[in-house]
Short mmCIF file of all heavy atoms in Angstrom, two decimals:
data_model
loop_
_atom_site.label_atom_id
_atom_site.label_comp_id
_atom_site.label_asym_id
_atom_site.label_seq_id
_atom_site.Cartn_x
_atom_site.Cartn_y
_atom_site.Cartn_z
N ALA A 19 98.06 301.79 177.57
CA ALA A 19 98.02 303.09 176.93
C ALA A 19 97.18 303.05 175.65
O ALA A 19 97.12 301.97 174.99
CB ALA A 19 99.45 303.55 176.57
N PRO A 20 96.53 304.14 175.31
CA PRO A 20 95.66 304.21 174.12
C PRO A 20 96.51 304.50 172.86
O PRO A 20 96.58 305.60 172.33
CB PRO A 20 94.77 305.43 174.42
CG PRO A 20 95.67 306.35 175.22
CD PRO A 20 96.54 305.45 176.03
N MET A 21 97.17 303.47 172.38
CA MET A 21 98.13 303.67 171.26
C MET A 21 97.36 303.70 169.92
O MET A 21 96.76 302.70 169.52
CB MET A 21 99.15 302.51 171.29
CG MET A 21 99.98 302.53 172.52
SD MET A 21 101.09 301.11 172.72
CE MET A 21 100.09 299.98 173.66
N ALA A 22 97.44 304.84 169.25
CA ALA A 22 96.65 305.09 168.06
C ALA A 22 96.97 304.03 167.02
O ALA A 22 98.14 303.82 166.68
CB ALA A 22 96.93 306.47 167.50
N THR A 24 97.12 300.91 167.12
CA THR A 24 97.71 299.58 167.53
C THR A 24 97.12 299.05 168.82
O THR A 24 97.32 297.86 169.08
CB THR A 24 99.22 299.68 167.61
OG1 THR A 24 99.59 300.80 168.47
CG2 THR A 24 99.86 299.84 166.20
N GLY A 43 93.05 302.82 171.36
CA GLY A 43 93.61 304.01 170.68
C GLY A 43 92.49 304.60 169.82
O GLY A 43 92.26 304.09 168.70
N THR A 45 92.14 307.60 168.41
CA THR A 45 92.49 308.48 167.27
C THR A 45 93.03 307.58 166.15
O THR A 45 94.12 307.01 166.29
CB THR A 45 93.55 309.49 167.70
OG1 THR A 45 92.98 310.22 168.78
CG2 THR A 45 93.90 310.42 166.56
N PHE A 72 92.30 309.46 173.43
CA PHE A 72 92.41 310.33 172.25
C PHE A 72 93.68 311.15 172.22
O PHE A 72 94.16 311.54 173.32
CB PHE A 72 91.22 311.32 172.17
CG PHE A 72 89.90 310.63 172.11
CD1 PHE A 72 89.10 310.58 173.24
CD2 PHE A 72 89.48 310.00 170.95
CE1 PHE A 72 87.87 309.90 173.20
CE2 PHE A 72 88.28 309.32 170.91
CZ PHE A 72 87.46 309.28 172.03
N ILE A 73 94.21 311.41 171.05
CA ILE A 73 95.21 312.43 170.83
C ILE A 73 94.36 313.70 170.56
O ILE A 73 93.91 313.88 169.46
CB ILE A 73 96.13 312.06 169.62
CG1 ILE A 73 96.90 310.78 169.90
CG2 ILE A 73 97.06 313.24 169.29
CD1 ILE A 73 97.57 310.24 168.65
N SER A 95 90.11 309.01 177.71
CA SER A 95 91.34 309.73 178.14
C SER A 95 91.68 310.76 177.08
O SER A 95 91.43 310.61 175.89
CB SER A 95 92.50 308.80 178.35
OG SER A 95 93.07 308.38 177.18
N SER A 97 94.86 313.43 175.80
CA SER A 97 96.31 313.78 175.89
C SER A 97 96.59 314.85 174.82
O SER A 97 95.97 314.94 173.84
CB SER A 97 97.16 312.55 175.45
OG SER A 97 96.90 311.44 176.25
N PHE A 98 97.65 315.65 175.17
CA PHE A 98 98.24 316.64 174.20
C PHE A 98 97.40 317.79 173.88
O PHE A 98 97.58 318.42 172.82
CB PHE A 98 98.70 315.86 172.96
CG PHE A 98 99.57 314.68 173.23
CD1 PHE A 98 99.23 313.39 172.82
CD2 PHE A 98 100.73 314.85 173.99
CE1 PHE A 98 100.01 312.28 173.17
CE2 PHE A 98 101.55 313.74 174.29
CZ PHE A 98 101.21 312.47 173.86
N GLN A 118 96.08 312.65 180.41
CA GLN A 118 97.55 312.45 180.44
C GLN A 118 98.23 313.80 180.35
O GLN A 118 97.99 314.53 179.37
CB GLN A 118 97.92 311.50 179.35
CG GLN A 118 99.45 311.21 179.35
CD GLN A 118 99.86 310.06 178.40
OE1 GLN A 118 100.36 309.01 178.90
NE2 GLN A 118 99.70 310.25 177.16
N GLN A 139 103.05 311.79 182.67
CA GLN A 139 103.89 311.11 181.68
C GLN A 139 105.29 311.72 181.62
O GLN A 139 105.46 312.91 181.20
CB GLN A 139 103.20 311.19 180.32
CG GLN A 139 103.88 310.36 179.24
CD GLN A 139 103.63 310.91 177.84
OE1 GLN A 139 103.45 312.12 177.64
NE2 GLN A 139 103.46 309.97 176.87
N GLU A 142 110.65 309.67 179.29
CA GLU A 142 111.18 308.38 178.89
C GLU A 142 110.06 307.57 178.24
O GLU A 142 110.37 306.42 177.74
CB GLU A 142 111.86 307.63 180.06
CG GLU A 142 110.92 307.36 181.27
CD GLU A 142 110.94 308.52 182.27
OE1 GLU A 142 110.39 309.57 181.96
OE2 GLU A 142 111.44 308.27 183.45
N ALA A 143 108.84 308.06 178.24
CA ALA A 143 107.74 307.28 177.65
C ALA A 143 107.92 306.98 176.17
O ALA A 143 108.54 307.78 175.42
CB ALA A 143 106.46 308.09 177.82
N GLY A 144 107.42 305.86 175.75
CA GLY A 144 107.42 305.49 174.32
C GLY A 144 106.41 306.39 173.57
O GLY A 144 105.40 306.83 174.14
N GLY A 145 106.69 306.69 172.27
CA GLY A 145 105.77 307.47 171.53
C GLY A 145 105.88 308.95 171.90
O GLY A 145 106.95 309.43 172.32
N HIS A 146 104.77 309.68 171.76
CA HIS A 146 104.81 311.14 172.02
C HIS A 146 104.75 311.45 173.50
O HIS A 146 104.04 310.82 174.25
CB HIS A 146 103.68 311.79 171.24
CG HIS A 146 103.92 311.78 169.80
ND1 HIS A 146 103.57 310.73 169.03
CD2 HIS A 146 104.58 312.68 168.98
CE1 HIS A 146 103.95 310.96 167.78
NE2 HIS A 146 104.55 312.12 167.72
N ALA A 172 103.15 307.27 184.14
CA ALA A 172 103.32 306.84 182.74
C ALA A 172 104.73 307.14 182.28
O ALA A 172 105.17 308.25 182.40
CB ALA A 172 102.28 307.60 181.87
N GLY A 173 105.39 306.11 181.72
CA GLY A 173 106.71 306.33 181.19
C GLY A 173 107.72 305.57 182.07
O GLY A 173 107.94 305.90 183.19
N GLY A 174 108.32 304.54 181.45
CA GLY A 174 109.43 303.82 182.10
C GLY A 174 109.01 302.69 183.01
O GLY A 174 109.82 302.20 183.78
N ILE A 175 107.76 302.22 182.86
CA ILE A 175 107.32 301.15 183.73
C ILE A 175 106.98 299.90 182.87
O ILE A 175 106.18 299.99 181.94
CB ILE A 175 106.11 301.60 184.56
CG1 ILE A 175 106.56 302.73 185.51
CG2 ILE A 175 105.50 300.41 185.36
CD1 ILE A 175 105.53 303.73 185.81
N TRP A 193 100.41 303.43 183.94
CA TRP A 193 99.86 303.54 182.59
C TRP A 193 101.02 303.12 181.71
O TRP A 193 101.98 303.87 181.56
CB TRP A 193 99.42 305.00 182.40
CG TRP A 193 99.05 305.56 181.10
CD1 TRP A 193 99.83 305.60 179.98
CD2 TRP A 193 97.84 306.26 180.79
NE1 TRP A 193 99.17 306.31 178.96
CE2 TRP A 193 97.93 306.72 179.46
CE3 TRP A 193 96.68 306.53 181.50
CZ2 TRP A 193 96.94 307.42 178.85
CZ3 TRP A 193 95.68 307.25 180.89
CH2 TRP A 193 95.78 307.69 179.57
N MET A 194 100.92 301.94 181.09
CA MET A 194 102.06 301.35 180.39
C MET A 194 101.78 301.21 178.93
O MET A 194 100.69 300.73 178.54
CB MET A 194 102.39 299.96 180.95
CG MET A 194 102.63 299.90 182.46
SD MET A 194 103.42 298.38 183.00
CE MET A 194 102.37 297.11 182.24
N GLY A 195 102.74 301.61 178.09
CA GLY A 195 102.64 301.47 176.64
C GLY A 195 103.59 300.41 176.09
O GLY A 195 103.15 299.37 175.59
N THR A 196 104.90 300.71 176.20
CA THR A 196 105.92 299.87 175.56
C THR A 196 105.74 298.38 175.94
O THR A 196 105.92 297.53 175.12
CB THR A 196 107.29 300.42 175.91
OG1 THR A 196 107.36 301.76 175.42
CG2 THR A 196 108.36 299.63 175.16
N ARG A 197 105.49 298.11 177.24
CA ARG A 197 105.39 296.74 177.65
C ARG A 197 104.29 296.04 176.80
O ARG A 197 104.46 294.81 176.51
CB ARG A 197 105.14 296.63 179.15
CG ARG A 197 104.96 295.28 179.79
CD ARG A 197 106.13 294.29 179.56
NE ARG A 197 105.99 293.44 178.38
CZ ARG A 197 106.63 292.32 178.16
NH1 ARG A 197 107.55 291.86 179.01
NH2 ARG A 197 106.43 291.66 177.02
N VAL A 199 103.36 296.88 173.78
CA VAL A 199 103.79 296.71 172.37
C VAL A 199 104.29 295.31 172.21
O VAL A 199 103.99 294.61 171.22
CB VAL A 199 104.86 297.79 172.02
CG1 VAL A 199 105.52 297.43 170.68
CG2 VAL A 199 104.30 299.16 172.00
N TRP A 204 99.00 293.15 170.62
CA TRP A 204 99.26 294.49 170.01
C TRP A 204 99.17 294.40 168.52
O TRP A 204 99.64 293.42 167.91
CB TRP A 204 100.65 294.96 170.42
CG TRP A 204 100.98 296.35 170.04
CD1 TRP A 204 100.47 297.49 170.57
CD2 TRP A 204 101.96 296.76 169.03
NE1 TRP A 204 101.07 298.58 169.95
CE2 TRP A 204 101.96 298.15 169.02
CE3 TRP A 204 102.83 296.09 168.17
CZ2 TRP A 204 102.80 298.93 168.17
CZ3 TRP A 204 103.64 296.83 167.33
CH2 TRP A 204 103.64 298.21 167.31
N ARG A 286 107.84 302.95 167.74
CA ARG A 286 107.67 303.81 168.95
C ARG A 286 107.79 302.96 170.18
O ARG A 286 107.06 301.98 170.38
CB ARG A 286 106.29 304.52 168.90
CG ARG A 286 106.18 305.36 167.71
CD ARG A 286 105.12 306.43 167.68
NE ARG A 286 105.55 307.45 166.74
CZ ARG A 286 105.28 307.33 165.38
NH1 ARG A 286 104.58 306.37 164.91
NH2 ARG A 286 105.77 308.26 164.59
N ALA A 287 108.73 303.37 171.06
CA ALA A 287 108.91 302.59 172.29
C ALA A 287 109.77 303.48 173.25
O ALA A 287 110.54 304.31 172.80
CB ALA A 287 109.65 301.31 172.03
N GLY A 288 109.63 303.22 174.51
CA GLY A 288 110.36 303.95 175.51
C GLY A 288 111.66 303.32 175.94
O GLY A 288 111.95 302.18 175.52
N ASN A 289 112.42 303.94 176.85
CA ASN A 289 113.65 303.39 177.32
C ASN A 289 113.50 302.05 178.03
O ASN A 289 114.40 301.24 178.08
CB ASN A 289 114.36 304.39 178.25
CG ASN A 289 114.68 305.61 177.52
OD1 ASN A 289 113.86 306.57 177.49
ND2 ASN A 289 115.84 305.71 176.91
N VAL A 290 112.28 301.85 178.49
CA VAL A 290 111.96 300.62 179.19
C VAL A 290 111.98 299.39 178.24
O VAL A 290 111.98 298.26 178.74
CB VAL A 290 110.57 300.81 179.87
CG1 VAL A 290 109.45 300.48 178.93
CG2 VAL A 290 110.49 300.08 181.15
C1 FMN B 1 103.53 302.59 170.18
C2 FMN B 1 103.01 303.73 171.09
C3 FMN B 1 101.97 304.50 170.66
C4 FMN B 1 101.45 305.51 171.43
N1 FMN B 1 100.40 306.23 171.04
C5 FMN B 1 99.77 307.09 171.87
C6 FMN B 1 98.55 307.69 171.55
O1 FMN B 1 97.99 307.41 170.42
N2 FMN B 1 97.92 308.51 172.43
C7 FMN B 1 98.55 308.77 173.64
O2 FMN B 1 97.90 309.50 174.41
N3 FMN B 1 99.70 308.21 174.00
C8 FMN B 1 100.33 307.37 173.13
N4 FMN B 1 101.44 306.75 173.52
C9 FMN B 1 102.12 307.07 174.84
C10 FMN B 1 101.45 306.30 175.91
O3 FMN B 1 100.21 306.80 176.21
C11 FMN B 1 102.25 306.29 177.26
O4 FMN B 1 102.37 307.56 177.78
C12 FMN B 1 103.62 305.68 177.19
O5 FMN B 1 103.61 304.50 176.41
C13 FMN B 1 104.10 305.34 178.57
O6 FMN B 1 105.46 305.03 178.61
P1 FMN B 1 106.07 303.58 178.33
O7 FMN B 1 106.04 303.42 176.83
O8 FMN B 1 107.48 303.67 178.90
O9 FMN B 1 105.23 302.61 179.04
C14 FMN B 1 102.01 305.75 172.72
C15 FMN B 1 103.09 304.97 173.14
C16 FMN B 1 103.58 303.95 172.33
C17 FMN B 1 104.76 303.11 172.86
#
Side-chain angles (χ1 to χ4, degrees):
M21 296 173 268
T24 52
T45 301
F72 301 105
I73 297 168
S95 78
S97 303
F98 308 121
Q118 182 169 244
Q139 186 204 36
E142 59 271 69
H146 290 85
I175 295 149
W193 168 302
M194 304 194 310
T196 302
R197 178 57 268 198
V199 168
W204 187 70
R286 299 199 157 83
N289 298 89
V290 85

